[in-house]
Short mmCIF file of all heavy atoms in Angstrom, two decimals:
data_model
loop_
_atom_site.label_atom_id
_atom_site.label_comp_id
_atom_site.label_asym_id
_atom_site.label_seq_id
_atom_site.Cartn_x
_atom_site.Cartn_y
_atom_site.Cartn_z
N ARG A 1 119.33 100.18 105.30
CA ARG A 1 120.33 99.51 106.13
C ARG A 1 120.72 98.19 105.50
O ARG A 1 120.00 97.63 104.68
CB ARG A 1 119.79 99.27 107.54
CG ARG A 1 118.72 98.20 107.64
CD ARG A 1 118.21 98.11 109.07
NE ARG A 1 117.23 97.06 109.23
CZ ARG A 1 117.51 95.81 109.54
NH1 ARG A 1 118.78 95.45 109.65
NH2 ARG A 1 116.58 94.91 109.69
N ALA A 2 121.87 97.68 105.88
CA ALA A 2 122.34 96.40 105.34
C ALA A 2 121.48 95.27 105.89
O ALA A 2 121.12 95.26 107.06
CB ALA A 2 123.80 96.18 105.71
N ALA A 3 121.17 94.31 105.02
CA ALA A 3 120.35 93.18 105.45
C ALA A 3 121.13 92.30 106.41
O ALA A 3 122.27 91.96 106.16
CB ALA A 3 119.92 92.37 104.24
N PRO A 4 120.54 91.93 107.53
CA PRO A 4 121.26 91.10 108.50
C PRO A 4 121.23 89.62 108.14
O PRO A 4 121.77 88.82 108.85
CB PRO A 4 120.50 91.35 109.80
CG PRO A 4 119.09 91.62 109.35
CD PRO A 4 119.22 92.34 108.04
N PHE A 5 120.55 89.26 107.03
CA PHE A 5 120.52 87.86 106.63
C PHE A 5 120.30 87.76 105.13
O PHE A 5 119.88 88.71 104.49
CB PHE A 5 119.47 87.07 107.40
CG PHE A 5 118.10 87.70 107.42
CD1 PHE A 5 117.24 87.58 106.35
CD2 PHE A 5 117.68 88.42 108.53
CE1 PHE A 5 115.99 88.15 106.37
CE2 PHE A 5 116.42 89.00 108.56
CZ PHE A 5 115.57 88.86 107.48
N LEU A 6 120.59 86.61 104.58
CA LEU A 6 120.45 86.37 103.15
C LEU A 6 119.10 85.73 102.86
O LEU A 6 118.48 85.14 103.74
CB LEU A 6 121.58 85.45 102.66
CG LEU A 6 123.00 85.93 102.95
CD1 LEU A 6 124.00 84.89 102.47
CD2 LEU A 6 123.27 87.27 102.30
N ALA A 7 118.68 85.82 101.58
CA ALA A 7 117.40 85.25 101.15
C ALA A 7 116.28 85.57 102.14
O ALA A 7 115.64 84.67 102.69
CB ALA A 7 117.53 83.73 100.99
N PRO A 8 116.01 86.84 102.40
CA PRO A 8 115.08 87.21 103.48
C PRO A 8 113.66 86.69 103.30
O PRO A 8 113.04 86.25 104.26
CB PRO A 8 115.13 88.74 103.49
CG PRO A 8 115.63 89.12 102.14
CD PRO A 8 116.55 88.04 101.72
N HIS A 9 113.11 86.76 102.07
CA HIS A 9 111.75 86.26 101.89
C HIS A 9 111.68 84.75 102.14
O HIS A 9 110.74 84.25 102.75
CB HIS A 9 111.25 86.57 100.47
CG HIS A 9 110.93 88.01 100.24
ND1 HIS A 9 111.76 88.85 99.55
CD2 HIS A 9 109.86 88.76 100.61
CE1 HIS A 9 111.22 90.06 99.51
NE2 HIS A 9 110.07 90.04 100.13
N PHE A 10 112.67 84.04 101.65
CA PHE A 10 112.69 82.59 101.82
C PHE A 10 112.81 82.21 103.29
O PHE A 10 112.02 81.39 103.80
CB PHE A 10 113.85 82.00 101.02
CG PHE A 10 114.07 80.53 101.26
CD1 PHE A 10 113.20 79.59 100.77
CD2 PHE A 10 115.17 80.10 101.99
CE1 PHE A 10 113.41 78.23 100.98
CE2 PHE A 10 115.40 78.76 102.21
CZ PHE A 10 114.52 77.82 101.71
N THR A 11 113.76 82.79 104.00
CA THR A 11 113.95 82.41 105.41
C THR A 11 112.76 82.85 106.26
O THR A 11 112.40 82.17 107.22
CB THR A 11 115.25 83.01 105.96
OG1 THR A 11 115.29 84.43 105.73
CG2 THR A 11 116.46 82.38 105.29
N THR A 12 112.15 83.97 105.90
CA THR A 12 110.95 84.40 106.62
C THR A 12 109.83 83.38 106.44
O THR A 12 109.13 83.02 107.40
CB THR A 12 110.49 85.78 106.12
OG1 THR A 12 111.49 86.75 106.42
CG2 THR A 12 109.18 86.19 106.77
N ARG A 13 109.68 82.88 105.22
CA ARG A 13 108.65 81.87 104.97
C ARG A 13 108.96 80.58 105.70
O ARG A 13 108.06 79.92 106.25
CB ARG A 13 108.56 81.61 103.46
CG ARG A 13 107.41 80.69 103.07
CD ARG A 13 106.07 81.33 103.33
NE ARG A 13 104.97 80.52 102.86
CZ ARG A 13 103.70 80.86 102.93
NH1 ARG A 13 103.36 82.02 103.47
NH2 ARG A 13 102.76 80.06 102.48
N VAL A 14 110.22 80.19 105.73
CA VAL A 14 110.62 78.98 106.44
C VAL A 14 110.24 79.08 107.91
O VAL A 14 109.70 78.14 108.50
CB VAL A 14 112.13 78.73 106.27
CG1 VAL A 14 112.63 77.71 107.29
CG2 VAL A 14 112.44 78.25 104.86
N LEU A 15 110.51 80.22 108.51
CA LEU A 15 110.18 80.40 109.93
C LEU A 15 108.68 80.38 110.16
O LEU A 15 108.20 79.82 111.16
CB LEU A 15 110.78 81.71 110.44
CG LEU A 15 112.30 81.70 110.64
CD1 LEU A 15 112.81 83.09 110.91
CD2 LEU A 15 112.67 80.76 111.79
N GLN A 16 107.92 80.98 109.26
CA GLN A 16 106.46 80.94 109.40
C GLN A 16 105.95 79.50 109.39
O GLN A 16 105.12 79.12 110.23
CB GLN A 16 105.81 81.72 108.26
CG GLN A 16 105.87 83.22 108.38
CD GLN A 16 105.18 83.89 107.22
OE1 GLN A 16 105.73 83.99 106.13
NE2 GLN A 16 103.96 84.33 107.44
N MET A 17 106.44 78.71 108.46
CA MET A 17 105.99 77.32 108.37
C MET A 17 106.44 76.52 109.59
O MET A 17 105.68 75.69 110.12
CB MET A 17 106.52 76.69 107.08
CG MET A 17 105.90 77.29 105.83
SD MET A 17 106.38 76.43 104.31
CE MET A 17 108.15 76.70 104.32
N ALA A 18 107.66 76.75 110.04
CA ALA A 18 108.16 76.02 111.20
C ALA A 18 107.37 76.37 112.46
O ALA A 18 107.05 75.49 113.27
CB ALA A 18 109.64 76.34 111.41
N GLU A 19 107.03 77.65 112.62
CA GLU A 19 106.24 78.05 113.78
C GLU A 19 104.84 77.45 113.72
O GLU A 19 104.29 77.03 114.73
CB GLU A 19 106.17 79.58 113.86
CG GLU A 19 107.50 80.24 114.23
CD GLU A 19 107.42 81.75 114.23
OE1 GLU A 19 106.33 82.29 113.95
OE2 GLU A 19 108.45 82.39 114.51
N ALA A 20 104.27 77.41 112.51
CA ALA A 20 102.93 76.82 112.36
C ALA A 20 102.95 75.33 112.69
O ALA A 20 101.97 74.78 113.19
CB ALA A 20 102.42 77.04 110.94
N GLU A 21 104.06 74.67 112.41
CA GLU A 21 104.19 73.24 112.70
C GLU A 21 104.58 72.97 114.15
O GLU A 21 104.62 71.81 114.58
CB GLU A 21 105.24 72.62 111.78
CG GLU A 21 104.87 72.66 110.30
CD GLU A 21 106.04 72.31 109.41
OE1 GLU A 21 107.14 72.03 109.96
OE2 GLU A 21 105.87 72.33 108.18
N GLY A 22 104.89 74.04 114.91
CA GLY A 22 105.31 73.86 116.29
C GLY A 22 106.73 73.35 116.41
O GLY A 22 107.10 72.77 117.44
N ARG A 23 107.54 73.58 115.40
CA ARG A 23 108.92 73.10 115.42
C ARG A 23 109.76 73.99 116.32
O ARG A 23 109.68 75.23 116.25
CB ARG A 23 109.47 73.10 113.99
CG ARG A 23 110.88 72.57 113.88
CD ARG A 23 111.27 72.41 112.42
NE ARG A 23 112.61 71.89 112.30
CZ ARG A 23 113.13 71.42 111.19
NH1 ARG A 23 112.39 71.39 110.09
NH2 ARG A 23 114.36 70.98 111.14
N PRO A 24 110.62 73.42 117.18
CA PRO A 24 111.49 74.24 118.05
C PRO A 24 112.40 75.12 117.21
O PRO A 24 113.04 74.65 116.26
CB PRO A 24 112.29 73.20 118.83
CG PRO A 24 111.49 71.95 118.76
CD PRO A 24 110.79 71.98 117.44
N LEU A 25 112.46 76.40 117.55
CA LEU A 25 113.24 77.36 116.77
C LEU A 25 114.66 77.43 117.31
O LEU A 25 115.12 78.46 117.81
CB LEU A 25 112.56 78.73 116.79
CG LEU A 25 111.13 78.77 116.25
CD1 LEU A 25 110.58 80.18 116.28
CD2 LEU A 25 111.07 78.20 114.85
N ASP A 26 115.36 76.34 117.23
CA ASP A 26 116.76 76.33 117.64
C ASP A 26 117.50 75.25 116.86
O ASP A 26 116.91 74.46 116.13
CB ASP A 26 116.89 76.10 119.15
CG ASP A 26 116.25 74.79 119.60
OD1 ASP A 26 115.81 74.00 118.74
OD2 ASP A 26 116.20 74.55 120.81
N GLY A 27 118.80 75.28 116.96
CA GLY A 27 119.63 74.32 116.24
C GLY A 27 120.03 74.85 114.88
O GLY A 27 119.86 76.03 114.56
N ALA A 28 120.60 74.00 114.04
CA ALA A 28 121.03 74.35 112.69
C ALA A 28 120.10 73.68 111.68
O ALA A 28 119.92 72.46 111.71
CB ALA A 28 122.47 73.91 112.46
N TRP A 29 119.50 74.48 110.83
CA TRP A 29 118.58 73.96 109.82
C TRP A 29 119.25 74.07 108.45
O TRP A 29 119.57 75.17 107.98
CB TRP A 29 117.28 74.76 109.77
CG TRP A 29 116.46 74.67 111.02
CD1 TRP A 29 116.72 73.96 112.15
CD2 TRP A 29 115.22 75.35 111.27
NE1 TRP A 29 115.73 74.14 113.08
CE2 TRP A 29 114.80 74.98 112.57
CE3 TRP A 29 114.43 76.21 110.53
CZ2 TRP A 29 113.63 75.48 113.12
CZ3 TRP A 29 113.27 76.70 111.08
CH2 TRP A 29 112.86 76.33 112.37
N ARG A 30 119.45 72.95 107.78
CA ARG A 30 119.98 72.94 106.43
C ARG A 30 118.81 73.01 105.44
O ARG A 30 117.94 72.14 105.45
CB ARG A 30 120.81 71.67 106.20
CG ARG A 30 121.49 71.60 104.83
CD ARG A 30 122.64 72.60 104.72
NE ARG A 30 123.70 72.30 105.66
CZ ARG A 30 124.77 71.56 105.39
NH1 ARG A 30 124.91 71.03 104.19
NH2 ARG A 30 125.71 71.38 106.29
N THR A 31 118.77 74.05 104.62
CA THR A 31 117.69 74.21 103.66
C THR A 31 118.17 73.78 102.27
O THR A 31 119.34 73.46 102.06
CB THR A 31 117.20 75.66 103.59
OG1 THR A 31 118.20 76.47 102.95
CG2 THR A 31 116.92 76.21 104.98
N SER A 32 117.27 73.82 101.32
CA SER A 32 117.59 73.43 99.94
C SER A 32 118.11 74.60 99.11
O SER A 32 118.56 74.42 97.98
CB SER A 32 116.35 72.85 99.27
OG SER A 32 115.31 73.83 99.22
N LEU A 33 118.05 75.82 99.64
CA LEU A 33 118.38 77.01 98.87
C LEU A 33 119.86 77.02 98.47
O LEU A 33 120.73 76.62 99.25
CB LEU A 33 118.07 78.27 99.68
CG LEU A 33 118.05 79.56 98.86
CD1 LEU A 33 116.67 79.78 98.28
CD2 LEU A 33 118.45 80.76 99.70
N ASP A 34 120.12 77.50 97.27
CA ASP A 34 121.49 77.69 96.78
C ASP A 34 121.80 79.18 96.89
O ASP A 34 121.29 79.98 96.11
CB ASP A 34 121.58 77.22 95.33
CG ASP A 34 122.99 77.34 94.76
OD1 ASP A 34 123.76 78.19 95.22
OD2 ASP A 34 123.30 76.58 93.82
N ALA A 35 122.64 79.56 97.85
CA ALA A 35 122.89 80.98 98.12
C ALA A 35 123.52 81.68 96.92
O ALA A 35 123.23 82.86 96.66
CB ALA A 35 123.79 81.13 99.35
N GLU A 36 124.39 81.01 96.18
CA GLU A 36 125.03 81.65 95.03
C GLU A 36 124.01 81.88 93.90
O GLU A 36 124.00 82.94 93.27
CB GLU A 36 126.19 80.79 94.54
CG GLU A 36 127.34 80.74 95.55
CD GLU A 36 128.56 80.05 94.97
OE1 GLU A 36 128.75 80.10 93.74
OE2 GLU A 36 129.32 79.46 95.75
N LEU A 37 123.17 80.90 93.64
CA LEU A 37 122.12 81.10 92.65
C LEU A 37 121.15 82.18 93.11
O LEU A 37 120.69 83.00 92.31
CB LEU A 37 121.37 79.79 92.40
CG LEU A 37 120.20 79.87 91.41
CD1 LEU A 37 120.67 80.30 90.03
CD2 LEU A 37 119.48 78.52 91.33
N GLN A 38 120.85 82.21 94.39
CA GLN A 38 119.97 83.24 94.95
C GLN A 38 120.51 84.63 94.66
O GLN A 38 119.78 85.52 94.23
CB GLN A 38 119.83 83.03 96.46
CG GLN A 38 119.04 84.10 97.19
CD GLN A 38 117.54 83.99 97.01
OE1 GLN A 38 117.06 82.95 96.58
NE2 GLN A 38 116.81 85.03 97.35
N ALA A 39 121.81 84.82 94.87
CA ALA A 39 122.42 86.13 94.61
C ALA A 39 122.33 86.50 93.14
O ALA A 39 122.07 87.67 92.80
CB ALA A 39 123.88 86.11 95.07
N LEU A 40 122.52 85.53 92.24
CA LEU A 40 122.41 85.80 90.81
C LEU A 40 121.00 86.26 90.44
O LEU A 40 120.82 87.23 89.69
CB LEU A 40 122.77 84.55 90.01
CG LEU A 40 124.23 84.10 90.05
CD1 LEU A 40 124.39 82.77 89.33
CD2 LEU A 40 125.15 85.15 89.41
N LEU A 41 119.99 85.57 90.97
CA LEU A 41 118.61 85.93 90.63
C LEU A 41 118.18 87.24 91.27
O LEU A 41 117.40 87.99 90.67
CB LEU A 41 117.66 84.79 91.03
CG LEU A 41 117.28 83.89 89.85
CD1 LEU A 41 118.51 83.15 89.34
CD2 LEU A 41 116.21 82.91 90.23
N GLU A 42 118.66 87.53 92.47
CA GLU A 42 118.35 88.82 93.07
C GLU A 42 118.87 89.96 92.20
O GLU A 42 118.20 90.97 92.01
CB GLU A 42 118.94 88.90 94.48
CG GLU A 42 118.21 88.03 95.50
CD GLU A 42 118.87 88.07 96.87
OE1 GLU A 42 119.95 88.68 96.98
OE2 GLU A 42 118.30 87.49 97.81
N ALA A 43 120.08 89.78 91.64
CA ALA A 43 120.65 90.80 90.76
C ALA A 43 119.82 90.94 89.49
O ALA A 43 119.60 92.06 89.00
CB ALA A 43 122.10 90.44 90.43
#
């Protein structure tokens, strides 16, 4: 099936760390990832 999100391993790890820190899982989170570079490396 089509992936419902980009950089899945990275965002999964981000959520794990945020949950461990007790951070509220809402709002907009700006990460350091470069989506275009991510696509190049995935290829």
Side-chain angles (χ1 to χ4, degrees):
R1 71 183 183 90
F5 50 80
L6 305 177
H9 287 103
F10 172 73
T11 53
T12 296
R13 186 67 175 182
V14 165
L15 287 170
Q16 284 181 281
M17 293 186 297
E19 290 177 0
E21 296 168 1
R23 182 171 180 167
L25 301 182
D26 59 6
W29 296 359
R30 184 71 64 93
T31 71
S32 61
L33 194 88
D34 182 334
E36 293 188 29
L37 178 61
Q38 175 77 16
L40 292 174
L41 261 65
E42 288 177 354

